[in-house]
């Protein structure tokens, strides 16, 4: 088989897709019998029609005239729904084919990136340095409560089975699974609860992460046993469903406790399975019995039939130590590696499995403290709002008392108060790592952090040590630019110094790509975050604090997604990188961590990127003053272009009237409302990043992934500095990663789909502005990268996008057709037609999002 990436993809995915798709056509399914033979004709009609400048309405109407001229409007709609269902299943087939071919497509040999790094370190005499790094280094992947993966659990199971059947060329089984897929519903009739979301994600914990992390860590432990066996943070999982309250009124303290209990149950099930496997091999005298006793104790806890208290971690460690000693001493060390591997998992996962983060918006936190102060006169100075920032922080750090949540009628205020006490309960049952972070969304500075510390004192913790990290989340461009000053102010406060002293002199700071891009555009958001990391690193090092950066990355490049290895491998010495922490959400969870091969590969890449940064000197990771000034200038010019666009009077009306923005709330994607602030008019600042970025993606315009970049680069060319940009691309990993990820966004655009908007009396000029900036951005990035087509240097990604975009083109056309009909129905006040076509738009969201894999 060829090693050429393009040919590999065509052989393993492209050709097999044609084969299995034709098999799908022959299945005895109602939807396929009605649409299978006509879908290729519709696909061709869409491609030809758009290239010839026809509108989606003209394309669909002409199609029916030629192939089903006797259909009534209702029959046409029913047929289009069948097309939608069929295309959804084609997307699943592509997912399964790519998963089945993952190791070959990604050209993963038996040595992962981490193993190769270890071998290189040994060859170059840096093994001791690498061992020292491994003692304290860590990667944390945080599964978020923002699901944009529309596949329900039963479809995910079919994809998993399809993957195996395709891998082993079991054609008959593939046929049966495709038929099962054809009869399985793809969408949820009701919104999932936060607990439902948690249950779905625990599937990945038990079926993917538990074994994948074990298989990744075990070989490393053979080389560096002292470092690996004692590092409980080397690879860890974070968890937001059930803890993330930011704008989600459906998350309650009861939900949080239920999710924590579910996480403990999930890890105990994994331990129980491992112990049963160990007993099958460790059947020796004085070895089997203690393992059997341990396994039964865990089984009784899982069954809820324990006569005594739950088992303690130290009891399991004691049993493993005794068993290992006997195996080594009396049984020639047979299968001792099973015991050691199990102990490492115990160290990594404890009783928590994944750390449950608590998150709340700073405005809710401020309102909660104000409500408490009104009921407790004297808690804060009467002139608190007029005090300086330093005086407010000092006053908040002096807060002490006891708050009764039942005194408050507002359920959000009451839950916010109770959430602080809930953390203590979880730490008692699941261990400190079960819930040890409180994240402040929309954090403006030191006062917001001080409010949270005050609420801990008031809400159940009193004078006890607060065994929780308080994590500011800087999101807007302004807050990012002031991040360094904010942290410096906190570090100089004696009360906060004392808190950090109890937290190993470590401070976690979260940086929000999603809202940063929404606020400042693609280039400025990335530069603002990079600069914020440098500033915060400098002030933290000066104060003797180890800062840990936690990146709020979404799926697409517009929200910090794209190639994670490229991003983290671009961090230089001016950015602390002893830990890599990032959110993973939406389709990115299933595409990056949906199978063990992918999970091991991507976790290995993250570990390697961080360790390389600390181990190996690379000039292309560092920015000199000239490069820094050039990127800053590009970012500022891009920001000015984006800000003017964002302030345009048609910006919000365009999204509301011409895109799918409002339909995300109707799609039952997740438990959170689609915007903050409840009801009322749609405001830009209240927009969630997912529907914001997702709406541009559905339009196939992907504005957040490129807008302003072309204008900024063109300005450099007009100033005679294009050569400097080309040189920057060659010499800076950071800039290359920015360009590459923007190319990915632009590769998923298709302005022919919405070209009809160009003649719209209201929005025509606005659409043309977007289109011209796209053309300019594509032209300039190709010049800078020296490429003839987007993603020329990444054949696998380019071809995957091309195949997926071709498959969903009928869906996209149907969606635009429906949006046009909706506008007509509104003008005619035809509520029946309006409801019919709105339902169609909602149904088209599923396939389009799943096909993109990282669209939100």
């Amino acid at each position: 088989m060829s090693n050429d990436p393009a040919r590999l993809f065509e052989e393993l995915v492209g050709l097999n897709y044609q084969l299995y798709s034709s098999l799908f056509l022959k299945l005895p399914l109602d939807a396929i019998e009605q649409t299978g033979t006509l879908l290729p004709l519709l696909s061709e009609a869409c491609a030809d029609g758009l290239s010839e400048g026809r509108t989606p309405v003209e394309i669909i109407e002409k199609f029916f005239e030629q192939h089903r001229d006797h259909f009534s409007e209702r029959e046409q709609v029913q047929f289009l729904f069948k097309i939608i269902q069929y295309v959804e299943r084609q997307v699943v087939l592509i997912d399964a084919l790519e998963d089945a071919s993952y190791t070959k497509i990604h050209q993963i040999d038996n040595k992962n990136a981490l193993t190769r790094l270890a071998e290189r370190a040994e060859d170059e005499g840096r093994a001791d340095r690498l061992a020292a790094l491994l003692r304290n280094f860590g990667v944390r992947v945080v599964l978020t409560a923002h699901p944009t993966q529309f596949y329900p659990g039963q479809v995910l199971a079919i994809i998993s089975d399809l993957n195996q059947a395709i891998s082993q060329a079991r054609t008959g089984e593939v046929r049966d699974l495709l038929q099962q897929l054809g009869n399985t519903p793809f969408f949820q009739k009701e919104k999932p609860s936060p607990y439902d979301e948690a249950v779905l994600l625990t599937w990945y914990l038990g079926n993917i992460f538990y074994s994948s992390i074990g298989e990744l860590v075990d070989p490393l432990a053979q080389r560096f046993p002292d470092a690996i066996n004692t590092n409980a943070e080397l690879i860890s999982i974070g968890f937001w469903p059930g803890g993330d309250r930011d704008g989600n009124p459906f998350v309650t303290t009861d939900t949080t406790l239920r999710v924590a209990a579910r996480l403990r149950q999930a890890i105990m099930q994994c331990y129980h399975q491992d112990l049963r496997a160990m007993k099958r091999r460790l059947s020796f005298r004085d070895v089997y019995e203690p393992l059997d006793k341990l396994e039964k104790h865990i089984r009784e806890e899982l069954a809820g039939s324990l006569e005594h208290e739950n088992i303690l971690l130290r009891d399991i460690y004691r049993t493993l130590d005794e068993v290992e000693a006997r195996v080594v001493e009396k049984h020639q060390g047979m299968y001792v590696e099973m015991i050691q591997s199990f102990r490492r998992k115990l160290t990594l996962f404890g009783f928590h499995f994944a750390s449950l983060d608590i998150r709340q918006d700073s405005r809710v936190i401020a309102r909660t403290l104000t409500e408490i102060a009104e009921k407790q006169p004297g808690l804060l100075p009467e002139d608190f709002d007029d005090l300086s920032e330093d005086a407010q922080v000092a006053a908040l750090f002096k807060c002490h008392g006891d708050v009764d949540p039942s005194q408050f009628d507002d359920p959000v205020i009451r839950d916010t108060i109770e959430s602080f006490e809930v953390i203590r309960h979880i730490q008692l049952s699941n261990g400190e790592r079960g819930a040890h972070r409180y994240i402040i969304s929309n954090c403006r500075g030191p006062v917001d952090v001080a409010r949270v510390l005050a609420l801990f004192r008031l809400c159940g913790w009193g004078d006890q040590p607060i065994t929780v990290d308080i994590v500011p989340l800087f999101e807007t461009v302004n807050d990012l630019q002031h991040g360094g000053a904010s942290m410096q102010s906190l570090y100089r406060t004696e009360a906060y110094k004392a808190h950090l002293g109890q937290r190993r002199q470590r401070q976690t700071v979260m940086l929000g790509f999603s809202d940063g891009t929404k606020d400042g555009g693609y280039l400025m958001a990335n530069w603002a975050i990079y600069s914020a990391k440098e500033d915060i690193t400098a002030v933290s090092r000066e104060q003797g604090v180890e800062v840990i950066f936690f990146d709020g990355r979404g799926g697409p490049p517009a929200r910090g997604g794209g190639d994670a290895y490229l991003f983290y491998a671009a961090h230089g010495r001016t950015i602390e990188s002893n830990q890599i922490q990032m959110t993973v959400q939406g389709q990115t969870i299933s595409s990056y961590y949906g199978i063990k091969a992918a999970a091991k590969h991507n976790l290995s890449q993250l570990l390697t990127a961080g360790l390389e940064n600390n181990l190996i000197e690379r000039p292309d990771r560092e920015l000199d003053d000239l490069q820094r000034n050039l990127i800053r200038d590009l970012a500022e010019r891009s920001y000015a272009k984006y800000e003017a666009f964002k302030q345009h009077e048609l910006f919000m009306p365009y999204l509301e009237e011409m895109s799918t923005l409002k339909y995300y709330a109707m799609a039952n994607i997740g438990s959170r409302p689609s915007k903050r602030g409840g009801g009322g008019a749609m405001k830009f600042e209240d927009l969630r990043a997912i529907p914001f970025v997702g709406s541009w993606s559905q339009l196939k315009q992907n504005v957040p992934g490129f807008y302003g970049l072309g204008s900024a680069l063109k300005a450099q060319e007009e100033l005679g500095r294009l050569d400097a940009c080309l040189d920057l691309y060659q010499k800076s990993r950071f800039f290359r990663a920015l360009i590459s990820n923007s190319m990915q966004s632009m590769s998923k655009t298709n302005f022919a789909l919405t070209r009809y908007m160009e003649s719209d009396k209201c929005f025509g000029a606005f659409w043309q502005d977007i289109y011209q900036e796209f053309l300019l951005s594509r032209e300039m990035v190709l010049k800078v990268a020296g490429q003839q087509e987007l993603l020329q240097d990444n054949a696998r990604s380019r071809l995957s996008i091309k195949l997926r975009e071709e498959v969903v083109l009928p869906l996209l056309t149907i969606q635009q057709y429906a949006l046009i009909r909706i506008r007509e129905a509104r003008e005619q006040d035809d509520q029946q037609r309006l409801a019919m076509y709105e339902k169609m738009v909602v149904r088209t969201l599923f396939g389009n999002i799943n096909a993109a894999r990282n669209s939100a």
Side-chain angles (χ1 to χ4, degrees):
M1 185 172 288
S2 170
N3 286 324
D4 175 62
R7 184 167 293 181
L8 262 177
F9 187 89
E10 287 292 353
E11 290 175 359
L12 296 171
V13 180
L15 291 176
N16 277 328
Y17 171 74
Q18 298 300 328
L19 171 66
Y20 288 118
S21 188
S22 64
L23 180 65
F24 204 5
L25 286 173
K26 300 173 183 176
L27 295 176
L29 295 167
D30 178 58
I32 292 172
E33 289 176 346
Q34 291 191 37
T35 62
T37 56
L38 292 178
L39 179 57
L41 298 174
L42 178 59
S43 297
E44 185 179 353
C46 292
D48 292 345
L50 292 175
S51 68
E52 294 166 4
R54 286 198 287 274
T55 71
V57 169
E58 291 169 342
I59 291 168
I60 298 297
E61 286 183 342
K62 184 178 179 181
F63 172 80
F64 282 122
E65 285 173 11
Q66 292 179 337
H67 301 288
R68 289 293 186 271
D69 60 349
H70 60 283
F71 272 12
S72 66
E73 182 178 19
R74 182 162 294 279
E75 288 173 323
Q76 289 178 358
V77 167
Q78 290 172 346
F79 174 83
L80 293 176
F81 269 107
K82 296 296 184 182
I83 289 285
I84 292 167
Q85 293 170 25
Y86 184 77
V87 173
E88 285 173 344
R89 286 151 179 81
Q90 286 183 309
V91 172
V92 170
L93 179 57
I94 296 174
D95 287 346
L97 285 166
E98 288 198 356
D99 286 349
S101 310
Y102 189 91
T103 56
K104 293 176 182 176
I105 293 174
H106 290 260
Q107 297 180 306
I108 302 171
D109 57 23
N110 292 328
K111 294 179 182 178
N112 59 49
L114 206 52
T115 301
R116 291 195 296 272
L117 178 64
E119 291 178 350
R120 177 180 175 183
E122 289 175 349
D123 293 342
E124 296 177 358
R126 303 186 193 184
D128 289 344
R129 171 65 179 150
L130 180 56
L133 288 171
L134 285 167
R135 283 188 178 88
N136 298 299
F137 185 76
V139 162
R140 176 178 290 197
V141 170
V142 180
L143 308 181
T144 75
H146 317 324
T148 49
Q149 171 57 268
F150 284 95
Y151 296 143
Q154 58 267 39
V155 174
L156 288 172
I158 295 172
I159 293 175
S160 177
D161 293 341
L162 261 177
N163 169 13
Q164 294 183 23
I166 290 169
S167 299
Q168 298 170 21
R170 301 196 302 265
T171 307
E173 187 176 343
V174 171
R175 181 187 182 281
D176 291 343
L177 288 167
L178 289 175
Q179 185 163 349
Q180 180 188 354
L181 190 67
N183 288 308
T184 302
F186 266 52
F187 66 98
Q188 303 174 103
K189 292 184 178 180
E190 297 179 357
K191 251 187 185 317
S193 69
Y195 184 72
D196 293 333
E197 293 168 342
V199 170
L200 178 62
L201 288 185
T202 55
W203 183 90
Y204 290 96
L205 293 178
N207 290 277
I208 304 295
F209 284 106
Y210 181 76
S211 56
S212 298
I213 290 173
E215 291 170 15
L216 192 58
V217 169
D218 285 346
L220 264 184
Q222 301 303 314
R223 292 176 182 272
F224 308 103
D226 293 340
I228 301 302
N229 291 336
T230 57
N231 185 353
E233 298 176 330
L234 183 64
I235 306 178
S236 59
I237 309 298
F239 210 75
W240 276 16
D244 182 13
R245 288 157 160 71
D246 178 19
N248 192 341
F250 306 112
V251 176
T252 65
T253 50
D254 178 63
T255 306
T256 306
L257 289 169
R258 286 183 68 202
V259 171
R262 177 75 184 213
L263 289 169
R264 176 174 172 122
Q265 180 188 47
I267 191 59
M268 297 304 274
Q269 287 171 338
C270 291
Y271 290 160
H272 182 248
Q273 291 170 3
D274 270 8
L275 281 167
R276 291 189 64 182
M278 288 166 63
K279 282 168 55 183
R280 288 178 66 87
R281 293 290 171 265
L282 296 166
S283 53
F284 320 129
R285 186 183 301 276
D286 298 329
V287 170
Y288 182 89
E289 289 76 8
L291 288 176
D292 184 56
K293 182 179 178 182
L294 182 59
E295 185 252 324
K296 286 179 179 176
H297 197 147
I298 291 176
R299 186 174 68 223
E300 288 172 4
E301 178 180 328
L302 288 170
S305 58
L306 271 178
E307 296 180 4
H308 307 291
E309 294 182 354
N310 286 344
I311 194 168
L312 301 175
L313 269 176
R314 64 171 178 265
D315 295 333
I316 302 179
Y317 278 121
R318 186 184 304 116
T319 299
L320 294 178
D321 290 343
E322 293 171 359
V323 166
E324 181 176 358
R326 291 171 188 167
V327 167
V328 170
E329 180 183 348
K330 299 180 180 179
H331 305 288
Q332 303 81 47
M334 285 192 72
Y335 304 118
V336 72
E337 64 277 1
M338 294 181 73
I339 304 169
Q340 295 168 345
S341 177
F342 183 77
R343 186 190 287 108
R344 281 189 286 272
K345 289 173 183 171
L346 198 66
T347 300
L348 291 171
F349 300 121
F351 285 157
H352 62 286
F353 211 161
S355 298
L356 190 59
D357 288 343
I358 307 297
R359 185 172 76 131
Q360 184 56 281
D361 188 276
S362 63
R363 291 162 290 192
V364 174
I365 292 166
R367 188 159 56 91
T368 300
L369 198 58
T370 299
E371 294 268 341
I372 292 172
E374 288 178 358
K375 292 186 182 295
Q376 296 189 12
L379 182 68
L380 292 172
E382 290 185 6
D383 60 345
F384 178 82
D385 291 336
D386 300 322
L387 297 176
S388 68
E389 181 181 89
D390 287 346
Q392 286 184 337
V393 169
L396 288 164
F397 281 144
K398 291 177 183 176
C399 283
H400 285 274
D402 191 24
V403 177
D404 180 4
S406 65
Q407 291 182 306
F408 300 86
D409 297 327
D410 187 325
V412 174
I413 298 295
R414 191 165 58 248
D415 175 78
T416 302
I417 293 169
E418 291 173 344
S419 67
F420 291 90
E421 179 70 13
V422 157
I423 294 174
R424 291 181 60 198
H425 287 297
I426 294 172
Q427 289 190 354
L428 286 172
S429 61
N430 292 13
E432 184 180 313
R433 287 186 292 160
H436 67 95
R437 304 202 302 193
Y438 197 105
I439 300 168
I440 310 166
S441 295
N442 195 40
C443 184
R444 301 298 187 188
V447 175
D448 287 334
V449 176
R451 283 194 180 102
V452 169
L453 199 66
L455 284 170
F456 268 107
R457 296 288 181 218
L458 293 165
C459 303
W461 290 74
D463 293 324
Q464 300 174 60
I466 298 171
T467 53
V468 181
D469 299 319
I470 300 172
V471 182
L473 166 50
F474 300 122
E475 300 180 85
T476 68
V477 170
N478 183 63
D479 293 334
L480 288 165
Q481 290 174 338
H482 291 91
S486 294
M487 298 314 299
Q488 187 172 50
S489 176
L490 277 171
Y491 292 155
R492 290 176 176 172
T493 306
E494 289 302 320
Y496 199 71
K497 276 186 184 178
H499 171 66
L500 288 179
Q502 297 169 347
R503 305 304 296 157
R504 294 188 290 166
Q505 288 298 117
R506 298 167 91 184
Q507 171 67 53
T508 302
V509 175
M510 187 174 179
L511 304 167
F513 283 84
S514 301
D515 284 285
T517 304
K518 191 189 96 181
D519 181 56
Y522 176 71
L523 195 53
M524 175 54 87
N526 278 274
W527 176 243
I529 286 171
Y530 188 94
S531 300
K533 285 186 174 183
E534 289 191 316
D535 293 344
I536 295 169
T537 295
V539 300
S540 298
R541 287 173 176 173
E542 181 185 319
Q543 296 296 320
V545 175
E546 179 190 348
V547 66
I548 296 169
F549 292 113
F550 175 25
D551 294 314
R553 293 164 58 91
R559 294 185 54 228
D563 191 317
Y565 173 79
L566 280 180
F567 173 77
Y568 287 108
H571 286 178
R573 297 289 183 184
T574 54
I575 294 176
E576 201 73 78
S577 58
N578 292 332
Q579 300 264 324
I580 287 178
Q581 299 192 3
M582 58 181 281
T583 57
V584 186
Q585 55 193 260
Q587 312 95 308
T588 314
I589 296 175
S590 60
S591 59
Y592 278 50
Y593 301 99
I595 58 174
K596 290 181 184 179
K600 287 175 63 177
H601 174 64
N602 287 297
L603 289 170
S604 172
Q605 291 284 83
L606 288 174
L607 280 165
T608 304
L611 291 167
E612 279 181 347
N613 284 348
N614 290 283
L615 186 69
I616 300 169
E617 298 282 350
R618 282 194 59 139
D620 63 355
R621 274 204 296 264
E622 313 301 331
L623 295 173
D624 61 30
D625 289 342
L626 289 175
Q627 293 171 328
R628 191 177 299 278
N629 290 335
L630 177 55
I631 297 177
R632 184 183 298 112
D633 189 62
L634 286 167
E636 289 173 352
R637 292 176 188 274
S638 174
Y639 182 48
K641 176 72 175 176
Y642 178 78
E643 188 65 17
F645 174 66
K646 195 176 72 175
Q647 296 301 325
H648 196 290
E649 62 181 359
L650 293 178
F651 185 88
M652 283 303 297
Y654 181 79
L655 277 176
E656 288 189 84
E657 295 179 36
M658 307 301 280
S659 83
T660 60
L661 180 65
K662 66 182 68 175
Y663 298 102
Y664 273 78
M666 299 165 62
N668 294 334
I669 303 173
S671 65
R672 292 196 318 173
S674 60
K675 70 184 184 76
R676 295 178 175 91
M682 186 82 75
K683 296 179 183 177
F684 178 80
E685 58 269 24
D686 290 332
L687 273 181
R688 295 280 189 190
I690 283 177
F692 175 74
V693 174
S695 296
W696 291 112
S697 174
Q698 293 281 332
L699 280 170
K700 287 299 160 185
Q701 293 175 5
N702 283 330
V703 161
F706 70 82
Y707 197 91
L709 178 58
S711 291
L713 289 170
K714 186 65 177 179
Q716 299 300 322
E717 183 179 50
E718 291 173 348
L719 291 168
R721 297 203 289 252
L722 185 62
D723 284 346
C725 295
L726 271 65
D727 187 65
L728 181 66
Y729 180 84
Q730 294 298 322
K731 293 181 178 178
S732 168
R733 274 191 165 195
F734 172 68
F735 191 62
R736 279 201 302 278
L738 284 182
I739 296 297
S740 175
N741 283 333
S742 185
M743 280 188 179
Q744 188 183 122
S745 288
M746 287 189 278
S747 294
K748 296 179 181 180
T749 59
N750 185 353
F751 279 86
L753 186 70
T754 55
R755 187 178 295 279
Y756 71 91
M757 295 181 187
E758 187 177 19
S759 59
D760 188 274
K761 291 179 181 179
C762 179
F763 297 110
F766 190 79
W767 180 92
Q768 185 62 230
D769 175 75
I770 300 170
Y771 182 49
Q772 291 304 318
E773 182 62 21
F774 163 74
L775 292 176
L776 183 59
S777 297
R778 183 178 62 183
E779 174 194 347
M780 295 309 300
V781 298
L782 290 175
K783 278 186 182 180
V784 167
Q787 297 180 22
Q788 301 303 310
E789 63 178 326
L790 296 173
L791 298 177
Q792 181 178 321
D793 60 345
N794 190 341
R796 177 187 52 78
S797 183
R798 185 181 72 252
L799 292 172
S800 178
I801 290 170
K802 181 174 181 289
L803 175 60
R804 290 168 178 274
E805 294 297 319
E806 287 174 354
V807 167
V808 296
L809 185 60
L811 271 191
L812 296 166
T813 308
I814 291 169
Q815 182 183 94
Q816 287 301 317
Y817 169 79
L819 287 169
I820 294 169
R821 292 302 192 207
I822 285 169
R823 290 191 281 275
E824 293 174 354
R826 285 207 179 100
E827 290 174 3
Q828 299 163 6
D829 194 26
D830 188 334
Q831 295 301 311
Q832 187 174 4
R833 290 184 78 229
L834 178 64
M836 183 169 63
Y837 285 111
E838 283 192 329
K839 182 180 178 183
M840 183 178 290
V841 170
V842 171
R843 288 294 285 114
T844 60
L845 294 175
F846 299 93
N848 290 336
I849 287 181
N850 288 330
R853 291 209 117 175
N854 67 350
S855 64

